Amino acid sequence: MENTKPLFSTAAAKKIKEMLSDGSIAMFCCNLDAKPFDVSPLATQGVDEDGTVWFFSVKDSDRNGYLAKDSRVQLIYGNSGDSDYLSLYGKAEIVNDLEKVKELWSVFAKVWFQGGPTDPRLTLVRFDPSEGFYWDTKNGKMVATAKMVASLVTGKTMDDSVEGTLSL
């Protein structure tokens, strides 16, 4: 398929960083062996060049308890405004790194952590993706919509999307 593009290593990490911005909301899925598994929305605090994704989490949350027992995590992102979607699988861990917390801190984090970067309830979660899948549009939603309309009129498929696996 011409619109399928698997990405590996550095290219995969670059795609993750390109698709996510600070504040992107992930559906953070853990306790993956349970039915249903645990899902909660978490704001992305940052993405490193190597594809590592950072979150803040409440110290005594169920999520942190699950991560202490099993580090496997699935992240699901959807940006319907740009028709971009991303699913990542990997391992997450609670990290104690005040300098990293300060680096990632924003005024919005204070909504949940009134004590600031040193709030005793705040923990830092590091997510290291190992694989995933992405769907995005090459030229943005406006062009994609125009191509869909043209496809309906002409009867020809004019898919503007690109998708592929991510392997880190």
Side-chain angles (χ1 to χ4, degrees), residues 19-167:
M19 291 186 75
L20 300 181
S21 60
D22 296 353
S24 295
I25 302 298
M27 293 308 293
F28 190 100
C29 309
C30 57
N31 197 27
L32 299 180
D33 288 334
K35 291 182 180 155
F37 50 81
D38 185 73
V39 179
S40 55
L42 278 185
T44 301
Q45 300 303 316
V47 182
D48 293 344
E49 296 298 322
D50 66 356
T52 299
V53 185
W54 295 94
F55 300 95
F56 293 150
S57 180
V58 176
K59 186 176 198 168
D60 62 354
S61 66
D62 288 343
R63 175 181 39 260
N64 283 25
Y66 293 136
L67 291 177
K69 295 176 190 168
D70 183 356
S71 63
R72 296 174 303 139
V73 168
Q74 182 85 37
L75 300 181
I76 301 170
Y77 289 90
N79 180 352
S80 60
D82 288 332
S83 296
D84 293 340
Y85 304 92
L86 180 63
S87 174
L88 297 171
Y89 176 80
K91 302 222 181 233
E93 66 177 320
I94 307 299
V95 177
N96 293 313
D97 184 342
L98 183 57
E99 291 308 309
K100 188 69 175 178
V101 169
K102 288 178 179 177
E103 173 190 324
L104 298 171
W105 185 257
S106 73
V107 67
F108 298 111
K110 191 163 180 154
V111 171
W112 291 275
F113 303 103
Q114 291 292 310
T118 59
D119 189 310
R121 296 177 51 245
L122 185 145
T123 59
L124 184 61
V125 175
R126 174 191 172 119
F127 173 79
D128 293 306
S130 58
E131 58 187 288
F133 202 90
Y134 71 95
W135 300 262
D136 73 16
T137 54
K138 296 176 188 173
N139 299 302
K141 191 172 184 177
M142 292 284 287
V143 173
T145 301
K147 284 190 173 192
M148 283 190 264
V149 170
S151 179
L152 291 172
V153 172
T154 65
K156 290 181 176 179
T157 299
M158 296 181 174
D159 188 1
D160 188 44
S161 66
V162 62
E163 63 184 67
T165 56
L166 298 167
S167 300

